[in-house]
Amino acid sequence: MFLWKRKGIHRYTSSACNANSNSNAPTEHIIRPTLYNLTTEDRKDVVPPRLSHLKGIVFKMRSSSFKHTAVVVVPLLILLQAPRVYGSPRSKVNDNAGVSINASTGITTSNCFPANGFTMPSTVPSSTDGWWCDMDTEYGFVGFSYEVTACQTLGELETDFKNIRKQFEGRYIRLYGACDNDGFYDDIIEAAWTAGIGVHALIWFGFDGSDEWMTRRDALFATLHSNLKAPFVTRVVQFGSEPLYDGVLSPQDLADQVWDAKAQLDDLGIPVTVSDMAYSYQENNGAPEVIQAIDFVDAHMLPYFSQQASIANNSWPLVLDDLDWFVDNVYGKKIYLSENGWPSKNYSGVEPNSPYAVANVQNEHDYYTLLDSKCTYFKTVPGGGVGWFAHIYSDNMEPGYGIYGTNGRLKFPFAPRTSC
């Protein structure tokens, strides 16, 4: 549970307060811990768990030829049916990474996209069947958040995406911010195809409560349907950033948007989610409507802003606190840590909420080193493991958060594992 403040807005990730923030005039809030927990009754109305439970049936067998009773314990696998996941039909997922794929698909290697070592085909395949790697293989470091407010050129996008792919073995870029130029997402698609990297696309809400997100949504969906390469690089569409926390839509209205998006993108096999933090769900009574609607979880994790923060090496309990909430409440859905990092400096809008929190390059480095050391744990989290993004690619995008400094050089050695 932790509280953070960024871009001039107070961010709370404890179950701690009633946050009715004014985006133009940030105010302090009183912390009153009230942890929300779904009851058994609540849970059954949300969504059936996608978990398998092994139980035993004990029964007695009697035989006239035996003078005793044999007690046999037989395991029974009970599969509780999950709701349909529009975005990732099983037929479009390659569960056999490393096994040769039929040449008729146009895939030229014995791998799946966007696995490291995958070679992009020379032409666009006719179908995404067998194209995507199973999300169970996507744990540990998966890529970078990448801000697009600067409306980078196609050349700039290609250079950065190739570097993320080759230098860091990143499998994805997660878009952050918005560029409203006509055709910009076409450039994202082309750069991603050229670099061989997947995209977590974003319908950006911003922080001012405006309705520009609707125009962005419609433009993105139009591009996804018109660009032949779009379903081969677009792994997911996110509603973000933090629409639940900012109260742009009620939980039910946001869930309705997710369901509608899933219906519109079903033919493309593109999942839909919401990019937000644990507290945002907690302050909305768990937002069961949203949890039911999303295909997987994009969780924000910025422990520097915890009221208990000190140094990055001590932040693991803070990370686990929010991560455990998701594990306990999303019923086996895949989890990614999307807006995830530790700043190397503080400034207006990026002030700590603990007098002991330290922002410097060493602690930014230590935070990612800490996450990398938990690779085995992330691999075992229910739902197919936890994949994490580094927020963000460069200090030129968001000061203090970048792996690269404003001078274009790495601020520290960065080589996290993509598997373990």
Side-chain angles (χ1 to χ4, degrees):
M1 297 184 292
F2 46 86
L3 155 70
W4 76 65
K5 180 170 63 176
R6 82 177 154 68
K7 292 190 181 292
I9 300 176
H10 290 283
R11 298 292 177 192
Y12 299 87
T13 56
S14 69
S15 49
C17 65
N18 178 16
N20 295 311
S21 62
N22 183 324
S23 60
N24 295 315
T27 57
E28 297 293 338
H29 297 273
I30 298 173
I31 308 298
R32 295 188 175 91
T34 53
L35 182 61
Y36 175 82
N37 288 302
L38 287 175
T39 65
T40 302
E41 202 62 24
D42 291 325
R43 291 173 187 266
K44 77 176 185 180
D45 292 332
V46 176
V47 57
R50 293 195 295 162
L51 301 174
S52 300
H53 300 281
L54 192 64
K55 298 184 177 181
I57 293 180
V58 179
F59 63 93
K60 294 181 178 180
M61 297 179 61
R62 294 185 182 274
S63 170
S64 58
S65 61
F66 292 94
K67 301 301 182 182
H68 64 276
T69 300
V71 180
V72 182
V73 180
V74 180
L76 174 64
L77 185 65
I78 300 177
L79 299 176
L80 300 177
Q81 184 177 359
R84 182 183 182 193
V85 179
Y86 283 88
S88 47
R90 300 302 297 175
S91 63
K92 296 187 178 183
V93 173
N94 180 1
D95 292 315
N96 300 304
V99 178
S100 295
I101 300 171
N102 192 300
S104 65
T105 64
I107 302 172
T108 58
T109 77
S110 59
N111 224 319
C112 54
F113 184 80
N116 288 309
F118 179 81
T119 300
M120 296 296 285
S122 58
T123 59
V124 179
S126 59
S127 170
T128 56
D129 288 351
W131 174 262
W132 291 100
C133 298
D134 193 290
M135 287 185 179
D136 289 2
T137 66
E138 296 175 358
Y139 60 87
F141 174 70
V142 294
F144 289 92
S145 285
Y146 186 90
E147 186 165 347
V148 294
T149 308
C151 295
Q152 292 91 329
T153 66
L154 175 58
E156 290 170 333
L157 294 171
E158 288 181 344
T159 297
D160 288 344
F161 291 4
K162 287 179 180 178
N163 187 57
I164 291 170
R165 184 64 162 165
K166 295 177 180 179
Q167 174 80 6
F168 305 103
E169 296 188 340
R171 287 167 280 179
Y172 293 102
I173 58 101
R174 176 246 179 187
L175 296 183
Y176 184 75
C179 173
D180 295 325
N181 290 352
D182 289 343
F184 182 73
Y185 195 70
D186 286 298
D187 286 348
I188 292 285
I189 293 168
E190 187 60 32
W193 177 272
T194 300
I197 200 167
V199 179
H200 283 221
L202 180 67
I203 299 168
W204 179 252
F205 280 73
F207 303 104
D208 57 6
S210 67
D211 60 4
E212 289 178 305
W213 65 270
M214 298 180 185
T215 303
R216 292 167 181 154
R217 173 201 60 197
D218 295 345
L220 175 61
F221 289 0
T223 300
L224 292 175
H225 280 97
S226 64
N227 191 310
L228 294 179
K229 295 176 180 176
F232 294 92
V233 297
T234 307
R235 185 50 150 160
V236 64
V237 168
Q238 311 165 79
F239 284 90
S241 178
E242 299 171 358
L244 271 175
Y245 178 82
D246 290 329
V248 180
L249 298 172
S250 70
Q252 185 59 62
D253 287 343
L254 180 58
D256 289 344
Q257 285 293 324
V258 174
W259 285 115
D260 182 67
K262 288 166 65 166
Q264 292 194 53
L265 301 177
D266 188 28
D267 60 324
L268 300 176
I270 299 175
V272 181
T273 189
V274 169
S275 187
D276 221 309
M277 53 187 171
Y279 173 73
S280 302
Y281 288 90
Q282 293 167 349
E283 73 167 352
N284 285 284
N285 295 325
E289 312 94 328
V290 177
I291 287 175
Q292 182 180 6
I294 58 177
D295 288 315
F296 57 80
V297 175
D298 263 4
H300 292 191
M301 196 67 67
L302 297 166
Y304 169 77
F305 298 99
S306 168
Q307 292 174 313
Q308 290 78 46
S310 55
I311 59 174
N313 282 333
N314 293 339
S315 67
W316 183 241
L318 305 174
V319 173
L320 274 184
D321 200 26
D322 276 8
L323 183 54
D324 284 348
W325 187 91
F326 282 115
V327 170
D328 290 343
N329 289 279
V330 301
Y331 309 106
K333 294 189 178 185
K334 176 73 177 184
I335 299 172
Y336 293 92
L337 306 184
S338 54
E339 191 167 328
N340 167 60
W342 189 287
S344 60
K345 65 179 181 179
N346 60 62
Y347 49 92
S348 178
V350 186
E351 297 102 346
N353 295 289
S354 163
Y356 307 106
V358 180
N360 58 30
V361 171
Q362 183 62 57
N363 274 274
E364 182 184 5
H365 183 201
D366 288 346
Y367 179 68
Y368 292 123
T369 301
L370 174 68
L371 294 185
D372 189 45
S373 74
K374 303 298 181 180
C375 182
T376 301
Y377 169 77
F378 286 137
K379 183 178 181 178
T380 62
V381 172
V386 173
W388 59 269
F389 288 84
H391 184 85
I392 201 163
Y393 183 62
S394 170
D395 275 354
N396 289 316
M397 298 174 175
E398 196 162 6
Y401 283 100
I403 301 299
Y404 282 97
T406 55
N407 60 4
R409 297 178 181 176
L410 282 174
K411 289 157 63 178
F412 46 82
F414 186 77
R417 289 172 290 176
T418 58
S419 64
C420 55

mmCIF file of all heavy atoms in Angstrom, residues 270-297:
data_model
loop_
_atom_site.group_PDB
_atom_site.id
_atom_site.type_symbol
_atom_site.label_atom_id
_atom_site.label_comp_id
_atom_site.label_asym_id
_atom_site.label_seq_id
_atom_site.Cartn_x
_atom_site.Cartn_y
_atom_site.Cartn_z
ATOM 1 N N ILE A 270 -7.305 -9.041 -30.437
ATOM 2 C CA ILE A 270 -6.545 -8.118 -29.594
ATOM 3 C C ILE A 270 -7.244 -7.963 -28.243
ATOM 4 O O ILE A 270 -8.387 -7.505 -28.191
ATOM 5 C CB ILE A 270 -6.388 -6.746 -30.271
ATOM 6 C CG1 ILE A 270 -5.619 -6.890 -31.586
ATOM 7 C CG2 ILE A 270 -5.675 -5.760 -29.341
ATOM 8 C CD1 ILE A 270 -5.509 -5.600 -32.386
ATOM 9 N N PRO A 271 -6.579 -8.320 -27.138
ATOM 10 C CA PRO A 271 -7.178 -8.163 -25.811
ATOM 11 C C PRO A 271 -7.298 -6.695 -25.414
ATOM 12 O O PRO A 271 -6.707 -5.805 -26.042
ATOM 13 C CB PRO A 271 -6.199 -8.886 -24.885
ATOM 14 C CG PRO A 271 -5.302 -9.676 -25.777
ATOM 15 C CD PRO A 271 -5.266 -8.957 -27.078
ATOM 16 N N VAL A 272 -8.042 -6.458 -24.337
ATOM 17 C CA VAL A 272 -8.269 -5.097 -23.832
ATOM 18 C C VAL A 272 -8.102 -5.108 -22.322
ATOM 19 O O VAL A 272 -8.522 -6.052 -21.647
ATOM 20 C CB VAL A 272 -9.679 -4.591 -24.196
ATOM 21 C CG1 VAL A 272 -9.888 -3.159 -23.685
ATOM 22 C CG2 VAL A 272 -9.910 -4.647 -25.707
ATOM 23 N N THR A 273 -7.482 -4.053 -21.794
ATOM 24 C CA THR A 273 -7.302 -3.954 -20.348
ATOM 25 C C THR A 273 -7.370 -2.498 -19.914
ATOM 26 O O THR A 273 -7.590 -1.595 -20.725
ATOM 27 C CB THR A 273 -5.969 -4.592 -19.909
ATOM 28 O OG1 THR A 273 -5.931 -4.668 -18.488
ATOM 29 C CG2 THR A 273 -4.769 -3.805 -20.414
ATOM 30 N N VAL A 274 -7.169 -2.280 -18.623
ATOM 31 C CA VAL A 274 -7.129 -0.945 -18.017
ATOM 32 C C VAL A 274 -5.794 -0.797 -17.309
ATOM 33 O O VAL A 274 -5.353 -1.712 -16.610
ATOM 34 C CB VAL A 274 -8.286 -0.752 -17.012
ATOM 35 C CG1 VAL A 274 -8.100 0.517 -16.189
ATOM 36 C CG2 VAL A 274 -9.629 -0.726 -17.755
ATOM 37 N N SER A 275 -5.135 0.334 -17.506
ATOM 38 C CA SER A 275 -3.828 0.591 -16.900
ATOM 39 C C SER A 275 -4.033 1.456 -15.658
ATOM 40 O O SER A 275 -4.327 2.650 -15.768
ATOM 41 C CB SER A 275 -2.924 1.292 -17.921
ATOM 42 O OG SER A 275 -1.611 1.412 -17.444
ATOM 43 N N ASP A 276 -3.892 0.834 -14.480
ATOM 44 C CA ASP A 276 -4.221 1.550 -13.243
ATOM 45 C C ASP A 276 -3.518 0.882 -12.076
ATOM 46 O O ASP A 276 -2.790 -0.088 -12.243
ATOM 47 C CB ASP A 276 -5.737 1.573 -13.035
ATOM 48 C CG ASP A 276 -6.242 2.916 -12.533
ATOM 49 O OD1 ASP A 276 -5.681 3.418 -11.536
ATOM 50 O OD2 ASP A 276 -7.197 3.462 -13.122
ATOM 51 N N MET A 277 -3.749 1.391 -10.878
ATOM 52 C CA MET A 277 -3.056 0.904 -9.694
ATOM 53 C C MET A 277 -4.022 0.215 -8.736
ATOM 54 O O MET A 277 -5.247 0.364 -8.829
ATOM 55 C CB MET A 277 -2.339 2.051 -9.002
ATOM 56 C CG MET A 277 -3.216 3.241 -8.697
ATOM 57 S SD MET A 277 -2.240 4.621 -8.061
ATOM 58 C CE MET A 277 -3.480 5.913 -8.050
ATOM 59 N N ALA A 278 -3.468 -0.514 -7.792
ATOM 60 C CA ALA A 278 -4.294 -1.275 -6.864
ATOM 61 C C ALA A 278 -5.251 -0.373 -6.098
ATOM 62 O O ALA A 278 -6.428 -0.709 -5.923
ATOM 63 C CB ALA A 278 -3.403 -2.051 -5.895
ATOM 64 N N TYR A 279 -4.759 0.770 -5.636
ATOM 65 C CA TYR A 279 -5.621 1.655 -4.862
ATOM 66 C C TYR A 279 -6.846 2.094 -5.654
ATOM 67 O O TYR A 279 -7.941 2.257 -5.090
ATOM 68 C CB TYR A 279 -4.856 2.883 -4.375
ATOM 69 C CG TYR A 279 -5.782 3.880 -3.711
ATOM 70 C CD1 TYR A 279 -6.298 3.609 -2.448
ATOM 71 C CD2 TYR A 279 -6.157 5.039 -4.375
ATOM 72 C CE1 TYR A 279 -7.177 4.497 -1.862
ATOM 73 C CE2 TYR A 279 -7.037 5.920 -3.786
ATOM 74 C CZ TYR A 279 -7.552 5.653 -2.527
ATOM 75 O OH TYR A 279 -8.431 6.529 -1.952
ATOM 76 N N SER A 280 -6.690 2.288 -6.949
ATOM 77 C CA SER A 280 -7.815 2.728 -7.767
ATOM 78 C C SER A 280 -8.954 1.722 -7.713
ATOM 79 O O SER A 280 -10.124 2.094 -7.675
ATOM 80 C CB SER A 280 -7.369 2.923 -9.217
ATOM 81 O OG SER A 280 -6.318 3.851 -9.295
ATOM 82 N N TYR A 281 -8.589 0.436 -7.728
ATOM 83 C CA TYR A 281 -9.613 -0.598 -7.579
ATOM 84 C C TYR A 281 -10.163 -0.606 -6.161
ATOM 85 O O TYR A 281 -11.376 -0.694 -5.943
ATOM 86 C CB TYR A 281 -9.016 -1.967 -7.916
ATOM 87 C CG TYR A 281 -8.742 -2.178 -9.382
ATOM 88 C CD1 TYR A 281 -7.506 -1.828 -9.928
ATOM 89 C CD2 TYR A 281 -9.707 -2.721 -10.228
ATOM 90 C CE1 TYR A 281 -7.242 -2.020 -11.280
ATOM 91 C CE2 TYR A 281 -9.460 -2.915 -11.574
ATOM 92 C CZ TYR A 281 -8.225 -2.562 -12.094
ATOM 93 O OH TYR A 281 -7.969 -2.746 -13.432
ATOM 94 N N GLN A 282 -9.289 -0.494 -5.188
ATOM 95 C CA GLN A 282 -9.709 -0.558 -3.794
ATOM 96 C C GLN A 282 -10.676 0.564 -3.440
ATOM 97 O O GLN A 282 -11.658 0.348 -2.726
ATOM 98 C CB GLN A 282 -8.480 -0.526 -2.886
ATOM 99 C CG GLN A 282 -7.608 -1.764 -3.008
ATOM 100 C CD GLN A 282 -6.255 -1.597 -2.346
ATOM 101 O OE1 GLN A 282 -5.867 -0.500 -1.952
ATOM 102 N NE2 GLN A 282 -5.518 -2.691 -2.230
ATOM 103 N N GLU A 283 -10.391 1.770 -3.936
ATOM 104 C CA GLU A 283 -11.264 2.895 -3.592
ATOM 105 C C GLU A 283 -12.617 2.804 -4.288
ATOM 106 O O GLU A 283 -13.552 3.517 -3.949
ATOM 107 C CB GLU A 283 -10.593 4.230 -3.929
ATOM 108 C CG GLU A 283 -10.525 4.545 -5.406
ATOM 109 C CD GLU A 283 -10.159 5.990 -5.664
ATOM 110 O OE1 GLU A 283 -10.107 6.783 -4.720
ATOM 111 O OE2 GLU A 283 -9.941 6.325 -6.835
ATOM 112 N N ASN A 284 -12.720 1.916 -5.261
ATOM 113 C CA ASN A 284 -13.986 1.684 -5.956
ATOM 114 C C ASN A 284 -14.569 0.311 -5.591
ATOM 115 O O ASN A 284 -15.115 -0.390 -6.440
ATOM 116 C CB ASN A 284 -13.777 1.787 -7.470
ATOM 117 C CG ASN A 284 -13.622 3.224 -7.929
ATOM 118 O OD1 ASN A 284 -14.580 3.978 -8.028
ATOM 119 N ND2 ASN A 284 -12.381 3.625 -8.205
ATOM 120 N N ASN A 285 -14.412 -0.046 -4.319
ATOM 121 C CA ASN A 285 -14.959 -1.310 -3.815
ATOM 122 C C ASN A 285 -14.467 -2.516 -4.605
ATOM 123 O O ASN A 285 -15.200 -3.483 -4.824
ATOM 124 C CB ASN A 285 -16.485 -1.274 -3.791
ATOM 125 C CG ASN A 285 -17.020 -0.247 -2.820
ATOM 126 O OD1 ASN A 285 -16.432 -0.021 -1.761
ATOM 127 N ND2 ASN A 285 -18.117 0.399 -3.167
ATOM 128 N N GLY A 286 -13.218 -2.430 -5.050
ATOM 129 C CA GLY A 286 -12.637 -3.532 -5.809
ATOM 130 C C GLY A 286 -12.931 -3.467 -7.296
ATOM 131 O O GLY A 286 -12.361 -4.235 -8.061
ATOM 132 N N ALA A 287 -13.830 -2.546 -7.717
ATOM 133 C CA ALA A 287 -14.214 -2.416 -9.136
ATOM 134 C C ALA A 287 -14.423 -3.775 -9.797
ATOM 135 O O ALA A 287 -13.802 -4.079 -10.821
ATOM 136 C CB ALA A 287 -13.170 -1.595 -9.891
ATOM 137 N N PRO A 288 -15.303 -4.634 -9.234
ATOM 138 C CA PRO A 288 -15.483 -5.970 -9.811
ATOM 139 C C PRO A 288 -15.963 -5.943 -11.250
ATOM 140 O O PRO A 288 -15.666 -6.853 -12.021
ATOM 141 C CB PRO A 288 -16.521 -6.615 -8.884
ATOM 142 C CG PRO A 288 -17.216 -5.477 -8.220
ATOM 143 C CD PRO A 288 -16.182 -4.412 -8.060
ATOM 144 N N GLU A 289 -16.687 -4.860 -11.612
ATOM 145 C CA GLU A 289 -17.147 -4.759 -13.001
ATOM 146 C C GLU A 289 -15.964 -4.684 -13.969
ATOM 147 O O GLU A 289 -15.978 -5.283 -15.039
ATOM 148 C CB GLU A 289 -18.026 -3.508 -13.191
ATOM 149 C CG GLU A 289 -19.113 -3.324 -12.156
ATOM 150 C CD GLU A 289 -18.678 -2.427 -10.998
ATOM 151 O OE1 GLU A 289 -17.470 -2.433 -10.657
ATOM 152 O OE2 GLU A 289 -19.550 -1.728 -10.457
ATOM 153 N N VAL A 290 -14.943 -3.918 -13.555
ATOM 154 C CA VAL A 290 -13.763 -3.748 -14.405
ATOM 155 C C VAL A 290 -12.938 -5.026 -14.423
ATOM 156 O O VAL A 290 -12.459 -5.458 -15.477
ATOM 157 C CB VAL A 290 -12.923 -2.547 -13.933
ATOM 158 C CG1 VAL A 290 -11.658 -2.411 -14.775
ATOM 159 C CG2 VAL A 290 -13.750 -1.264 -13.998
ATOM 160 N N ILE A 291 -12.762 -5.625 -13.253
ATOM 161 C CA ILE A 291 -11.982 -6.863 -13.177
ATOM 162 C C ILE A 291 -12.596 -7.948 -14.055
ATOM 163 O O ILE A 291 -11.885 -8.700 -14.717
ATOM 164 C CB ILE A 291 -11.879 -7.332 -11.712
ATOM 165 C CG1 ILE A 291 -10.927 -6.404 -10.954
ATOM 166 C CG2 ILE A 291 -11.382 -8.776 -11.640
ATOM 167 C CD1 ILE A 291 -10.840 -6.691 -9.472
ATOM 168 N N GLN A 292 -13.908 -8.024 -14.056
ATOM 169 C CA GLN A 292 -14.555 -9.017 -14.898
ATOM 170 C C GLN A 292 -14.320 -8.737 -16.375
ATOM 171 O O GLN A 292 -14.139 -9.650 -17.176
ATOM 172 C CB GLN A 292 -16.062 -9.055 -14.629
ATOM 173 C CG GLN A 292 -16.791 -10.118 -15.449
ATOM 174 C CD GLN A 292 -18.284 -10.153 -15.175
ATOM 175 O OE1 GLN A 292 -18.802 -9.313 -14.457
ATOM 176 N NE2 GLN A 292 -18.965 -11.121 -15.746
ATOM 177 N N ALA A 293 -14.303 -7.456 -16.739
ATOM 178 C CA ALA A 293 -14.226 -7.081 -18.150
ATOM 179 C C ALA A 293 -12.832 -7.234 -18.743
ATOM 180 O O ALA A 293 -12.684 -7.680 -19.889
ATOM 181 C CB ALA A 293 -14.713 -5.637 -18.330
ATOM 182 N N ILE A 294 -11.792 -6.865 -17.992
ATOM 183 C CA ILE A 294 -10.442 -6.839 -18.563
ATOM 184 C C ILE A 294 -9.927 -8.247 -18.848
ATOM 185 O O ILE A 294 -10.267 -9.202 -18.157
ATOM 186 C CB ILE A 294 -9.453 -6.090 -17.656
ATOM 187 C CG1 ILE A 294 -9.381 -6.724 -16.263
ATOM 188 C CG2 ILE A 294 -9.822 -4.610 -17.569
ATOM 189 C CD1 ILE A 294 -8.369 -6.085 -15.328
ATOM 190 N N ASP A 295 -9.105 -8.356 -19.882
ATOM 191 C CA ASP A 295 -8.520 -9.648 -20.246
ATOM 192 C C ASP A 295 -7.320 -9.990 -19.375
ATOM 193 O O ASP A 295 -7.040 -11.155 -19.131
ATOM 194 C CB ASP A 295 -8.120 -9.652 -21.720
ATOM 195 C CG ASP A 295 -9.334 -9.691 -22.628
ATOM 196 O OD1 ASP A 295 -10.248 -10.486 -22.345
ATOM 197 O OD2 ASP A 295 -9.378 -8.924 -23.607
ATOM 198 N N PHE A 296 -6.559 -8.984 -18.971
ATOM 199 C CA PHE A 296 -5.484 -9.177 -17.997
ATOM 200 C C PHE A 296 -5.225 -7.859 -17.292
ATOM 201 O O PHE A 296 -5.898 -6.861 -17.575
ATOM 202 C CB PHE A 296 -4.222 -9.767 -18.624
ATOM 203 C CG PHE A 296 -3.637 -8.973 -19.759
ATOM 204 C CD1 PHE A 296 -2.850 -7.867 -19.533
ATOM 205 C CD2 PHE A 296 -3.852 -9.370 -21.079
ATOM 206 C CE1 PHE A 296 -2.287 -7.139 -20.579
ATOM 207 C CE2 PHE A 296 -3.295 -8.660 -22.135
ATOM 208 C CZ PHE A 296 -2.515 -7.542 -21.889
ATOM 209 N N VAL A 297 -4.283 -7.849 -16.366
ATOM 210 C CA VAL A 297 -4.061 -6.688 -15.498
ATOM 211 C C VAL A 297 -2.813 -5.934 -15.921
ATOM 212 O O VAL A 297 -1.738 -6.522 -16.069
ATOM 213 C CB VAL A 297 -3.915 -7.133 -14.027
ATOM 214 C CG1 VAL A 297 -3.561 -5.945 -13.135
ATOM 215 C CG2 VAL A 297 -5.196 -7.812 -13.551
#
